[in-house]
Amino acid sequence: MIKENLDKINASLANGVRLIAVSKTKPVEDLQEAYDAGQRLFGENKALEMRDKHAVLPEDIEWHFIGHLQTNKIKYIAAYVRMIHSIDSLYLLQAVDKEARKHDRVIDCLLQFHIATEETKFGLNMEEAEALLQSPEYAAMKNVRIVGVMGMATNTDNRDLVRREYHTLHEYRDFLAEKYFKGHDEFKEISMGMTHDYDIAMEEGSTLVRIGSAIFGARDYGTPVNDV
Ligand SMILES: *Cc1c(COP(=O)(O)O)cnc(C)c1O
């Protein structure tokens, strides 16, 4: 089933859009099956779960961290994580920079924006993002590289609202690219789109879609995962 699901999704991807298989809560056997079908980008939202899966799965997997990240857990992923999508404070970015330095690495990061109308979602607003980008602390960082933006739309059937939120995120990316990343072509990513709205996200310019249940099936949150 996983291979069929991946084939179907890959066939529906717009040009230049990369698929992150969101494998949170799923057993390594499922990830291996996706890997054997050719999938290389995987997304997890818990540091310890990512660590455990990374330890037993092939080395050429690109690990994307997509969840809320606590600073004391960065150490479990800093040696290998390919991209952290959820930078929502200068403090967190500083902590990632520090852990990356210990491994002599540069970790790609996305600024997570609060684009949803819901109160509960994490993320920066533009004022906070600009304060971060203008700070001397950010200017001094050598082991992180900001390569774009990420956002989660409101969890709703209102597709117009979702479209507006994704449209806004695209505008944020363009605004920041122009103002802070001139000559830094790597600042181009827009991580947006999940199982139920990635079609809209792609129409609004997504470069990275994060898809879980359409690949692996519904998640069972009744099963405990490692670090909740
Ligand atoms: C779980 C999760 C996804 C994937 O959700 P699906 O609806 O299963 O595709 C995408 N992004 C983030 C941040 C997630 O936590």
Side-chain angles (χ1 to χ4, degrees):
M1 261 328 256
I2 290 175
K3 185 186 182 335
E4 282 78 10
N5 293 341
L6 278 169
D7 288 347
K8 209 184 299 171
I9 294 164
N10 277 316
S12 72
L13 292 185
N15 255 345
V17 177
R18 290 188 296 155
L19 170 63
I20 298 173
V22 176
S23 46
K24 62 191 188 193
T25 79
K26 296 296 176 182
V28 289
E29 292 74 20
D30 287 9
L31 283 75
Q32 184 68 51
E33 202 175 323
Y35 180 90
D36 292 340
Q39 181 63 29
R40 290 296 178 272
L41 280 62
F42 288 84
E44 292 283 340
N45 70 343
K46 298 269 199 289
L48 291 173
E49 189 175 343
M50 180 181 277
R51 176 197 63 182
D52 292 347
K53 289 173 173 174
H54 169 263
V56 297
L57 285 163
E59 263 310 310
D60 62 339
I61 286 178
E62 242 190 57
W63 293 97
H64 289 249
F65 193 86
I66 61 170
H68 181 63
L69 183 56
Q70 291 168 276
T71 53
N72 63 345
K73 302 261 173 75
I74 301 167
K75 58 177 178 283
Y76 299 123
I77 64 171
Y80 56 86
V81 68
R82 179 69 187 75
M83 192 182 291
I84 296 174
H85 291 229
S86 45
I87 299 299
D88 60 1
S89 71
L90 176 64
Y91 174 73
L92 176 59
L93 192 62
Q94 280 181 293
V96 171
D97 183 61
K98 192 172 147 203
E99 289 299 323
R101 191 156 58 241
K102 291 180 187 169
H103 299 279
D104 200 23
R105 299 187 67 219
V106 175
I107 297 179
D108 284 350
C109 293
L110 303 178
L111 297 178
Q112 180 172 358
F113 279 91
H114 182 273
I115 54 170
T117 51
E118 291 153 308
E119 279 294 325
T120 52
K121 300 261 162 84
F122 294 101
L124 300 157
N125 61 37
M126 186 51 82
E127 195 181 331
E128 293 164 339
E130 289 205 80
L132 182 159
L133 293 168
Q134 291 169 7
S135 69
E137 291 88 349
Y138 169 63
M141 294 178 199
K142 293 193 167 58
N143 296 82
V144 290
R145 185 172 81 144
I146 298 179
V147 298
V149 299
M150 179 270 211
M152 292 180 75
T154 303
N155 186 11
T156 173
D157 292 335
N158 183 342
R159 291 171 64 86
D160 291 333
L161 177 60
V162 169
R163 182 179 298 282
R164 281 200 298 279
E165 291 170 354
Y166 284 156
H167 191 82
T168 299
L169 189 61
H170 189 155
E171 289 179 340
Y172 287 175
R173 196 273 318 255
D174 291 351
F175 173 80
L176 294 175
E178 173 73 20
K179 189 163 174 187
Y180 296 98
F181 295 94
K182 273 266 166 66
H184 289 271
D185 293 344
E186 74 275 8
F187 185 86
K188 61 171 194 288
E189 305 292 354
I190 310 177
S191 168
M192 60 184 185
M194 307 175 24
T195 291
H196 292 295
D197 60 19
Y198 79 96
D199 56 330
I200 305 175
M202 290 192 302
E203 286 168 13
E204 295 302 330
S206 174
T207 67
L208 291 164
V209 290
R210 311 177 308 265
I211 298 179
S213 31
I215 300 171
F216 298 107
R219 284 176 297 274
D220 176 9
Y221 283 106
T223 307
V225 289
N226 284 321
D227 64 340
V228 268

